[in-house]
Amino acid sequence: MGKGQGRSAGPLVYSRSEAGRRPAYFRVLERVFGARRARLRSLLFARAPVLFLMVEEAFLLYVLVGLSRALLGRRTVGLLLKPGPLAVSPRWGNRWRRAVLQRLKRCRAMRTLSIVPFSVLPPAAAIADGYIYDFQLWDLSEEERKAVNALRAERRPGDRLVLTAIGSQCGRKGFDLFADIYARSARLRACYQFIACGKVAVADAEHAEVLREGGGVTVDRFISDAELLGAYAASDAIWCFYPRTGDQAFGILGRAAQLGLPVVVREGSLAHRLCAIEDVPHLAAKMEGLSARLAGSLPPRDELRGRHAAERFAMESEATLRAALGLAATQPVMEA
């Protein structure tokens, strides 16, 4: 990955919220580009390029600030973290935003980027000027990789494979199905240990109880970054079998892909398309046949494959972001 620029040259990054994956995204931008957090009052007249971390959460502000800055000859970039609804939804609110984004493509000082590749979601090309790969497909540092490998080397695998659901546990991430199929299938329980690692939503507390009664494990609390790495190290596969409402959540999948861990995805989902197109180890199934597919063989873990994929995602994404922000391209290191 490229080295961060000096703080005086780095872009200003604006986010209305600090929830979810945004802090992880900012850490990457800070490390690679020397990014700084932007205050609302500094957006309009700042000479440095401005990056909106999530266009969807501040759509009108993005449009007004970007157009005003364009009149001053200054660059503004916005990331679409959930481009699907804006690109295809028939709802009026999404239709007018779609029309605005299509017209903004004519403004060269504004660049809107999807974090879902156009090959995975072709309609996104109509509203975005380009795309990058989700930061969590390429953000692991060498130190973090070494930590995962060290933890994995200490692991004492049992007779069963470990399938882990990581992060907040809720219906949007298919936690109800995760718990239900484990509790219902003696064959799965003989093959796997299911672990839910992350805070369980109040509405899904009963599913957590079902999972525990079936012999599964829940770690029902906030999980630190170090503990998350430990969860990946302890796993043979990662649960990413999300319903449509959670279909664009590539963060958990991305970390698994970087480490070469296979992911379990819903057949026909965006996650499935991403895995198939980008050669990410995965097991795809429909809901009806999920238990039977899991009881078969898993794709093997392939650390080298994951590392190479992450390097490619990083190279392409950094180049796209630098061009959009108007930052100088990094110079390749010449061998002596």
Side-chain angles (χ1 to χ4, degrees), residues 1 28 36 64 100-101 111 143 160 210 229 235 254 306 319:
M1 297 184 191
V28 181
R36 300 160 289 158
L64 293 174
V100 171
L101 289 173
R111 301 283 87 183
E143 290 72 19
R160 295 182 295 172
V210 167
L229 294 178
S235 302

Side-chain angles (χ1 to χ4, degrees), residues 168-245:
S168 58
Q169 303 301 318
C170 57
R172 186 174 56 82
K173 292 189 176 180
F175 178 59
D176 50 346
L177 178 63
F178 181 79
D180 187 62
I181 63 169
Y182 195 65
R184 287 176 178 270
S185 175
R187 186 180 177 191
L188 270 188
R189 294 195 299 275
C191 299
Y192 286 93
Q193 173 70 73
F194 273 29
I195 301 176
C197 192
K199 185 67 178 174
V200 177
V202 174
D204 291 276
E206 62 182 273
H207 300 301
E209 185 62 28
V210 167
L211 179 63
R212 288 191 291 267
E213 288 178 354
V217 176
T218 61
V219 184
D220 185 8
R221 59 178 173 79
F222 173 78
I223 305 298
S224 70
D225 289 344
E227 289 173 318
L228 284 175
L229 294 178
Y232 284 107
S235 302
D236 296 291
I238 302 298
W239 175 265
C240 296
F241 197 103
Y242 303 154
R244 292 185 183 277
T245 53

Side-chain angles (χ1 to χ4, degrees), residues 218-298:
T218 61
V219 184
D220 185 8
R221 59 178 173 79
F222 173 78
I223 305 298
S224 70
D225 289 344
E227 289 173 318
L228 284 175
L229 294 178
Y232 284 107
S235 302
D236 296 291
I238 302 298
W239 175 265
C240 296
F241 197 103
Y242 303 154
R244 292 185 183 277
T245 53
D247 197 14
Q248 294 182 68
F250 291 160
I252 301 299
L253 182 154
R255 294 286 177 78
Q258 292 187 70
L259 295 167
L261 277 170
V263 293
V264 178
V265 296
R266 178 170 54 83
E267 188 174 309
S269 64
L270 289 180
H272 181 201
R273 285 182 57 82
L274 177 73
C275 289
I277 291 169
E278 301 296 348
D279 196 28
V280 173
H282 67 283
L283 184 151
K286 295 181 179 179
M287 189 178 298
E288 312 81 62
L290 179 56
S291 293
R293 289 282 287 121
L294 279 172
S297 60
L298 276 176

Side-chain angles (χ1 to χ4, degrees), residues 17-30:
S17 168
E18 292 291 321
R21 41 192 167 158
R22 295 172 186 81
Y25 285 3
F26 181 79
R27 287 195 294 271
V28 181
L29 291 164
E30 184 179 39

Side-chain angles (χ1 to χ4, degrees), residues 120-164:
V120 176
L121 184 66
I127 61 172
D129 299 286
Y131 67 86
I132 63 170
Y133 291 92
D134 189 315
F135 293 104
Q136 291 181 308
L137 278 160
W138 51 276
D139 66 346
L140 287 180
S141 67
E142 190 59 33
E143 290 72 19
E144 288 170 322
R145 286 182 176 278
K146 288 179 179 178
V148 170
N149 287 334
L151 290 169
R152 195 167 186 87
E154 296 173 359
R155 178 188 175 194
R156 295 180 180 178
D159 297 330
R160 295 182 295 172
L161 299 170
V162 175
L163 177 62
T164 309

